[in-house]
Amino acid sequence: QVQLVESGGGSAQSGGSLRLSCVASEYTYRNYYLGWFRQAPGKEREGVAAFGRDGTTNYASSVKGRFTIAQDNDKNTLYLQMDSLKPEDTAVYYCAACYKARASYIPLDRSSYHYWGQGTQVTVSS
């Protein structure tokens, strides 16, 4: 069963930091690639950060150098460390899972992902 539970959202001032967590079931963690997406009001959901098949990290250009994706294999947890936050980072952030056996996998492409967490709100004020 695929289970994804996000936490860590909240409010921050511009320039501040937040860390998001996504706890996955062991089955999910072993069999799915995990990534972070976000959706701002009135905008489409966009890829933020994800691992590639070879373990490399992929970031949206808008967050590169400010956000860091990481994982803890002992805790089946994916993290998103967000530093130097900007008001335009305000969005609902989602953890997503893509089945590893899937032939086509594009880390930051939402169509690659089959399962989504419930989302966590991040609000950045200026």
Side-chain angles (χ1 to χ4, degrees):
Q1 293 180 347
V2 178
Q3 294 179 343
L4 302 166
V5 180
E6 302 104 330
S7 63
S11 298
Q13 291 192 331
S14 183
S17 298
L18 287 171
R19 188 178 78 159
L20 305 183
S21 299
C22 173
V23 179
S25 64
E26 185 172 355
Y27 170 81
T28 303
Y29 200 81
R30 287 183 176 182
N31 293 285
Y32 287 77
Y33 295 114
L34 301 181
W36 288 101
F37 286 73
R38 68 184 181 186
Q39 188 166 17
K43 295 188 177 181
E44 292 190 355
R45 193 170 297 186
E46 62 174 357
V48 176
F51 288 101
R53 287 188 184 274
D54 55 359
T56 57
T57 52
N58 297 265
Y59 295 97
S61 58
S62 59
V63 307
K64 205 167 188 177
R66 301 188 298 119
F67 290 11
T68 304
I69 188 171
Q71 54 191 13
D72 186 331
N73 296 333
D74 292 333
K75 296 181 178 179
N76 297 337
T77 301
L78 182 74
Y79 299 101
L80 184 67
Q81 177 66 42
M82 304 185 294
D83 298 318
S84 302
L85 283 164
K86 302 177 181 180
E88 50 263 44
D89 295 320
T90 296
V92 177
Y93 284 71
Y94 298 91
C95 179
C98 170
Y99 189 45
K100 286 185 177 179
R102 181 184 172 120
S104 62
Y105 170 59
I106 303 173
L108 297 180
D109 183 350
R110 60 180 290 188
S111 66
S112 291
Y113 293 81
H114 308 91
Y115 298 96
W116 300 82
Q118 81 285 358
T120 185
Q121 177 70 47
V122 171
T123 303
V124 183
S125 58
S126 57

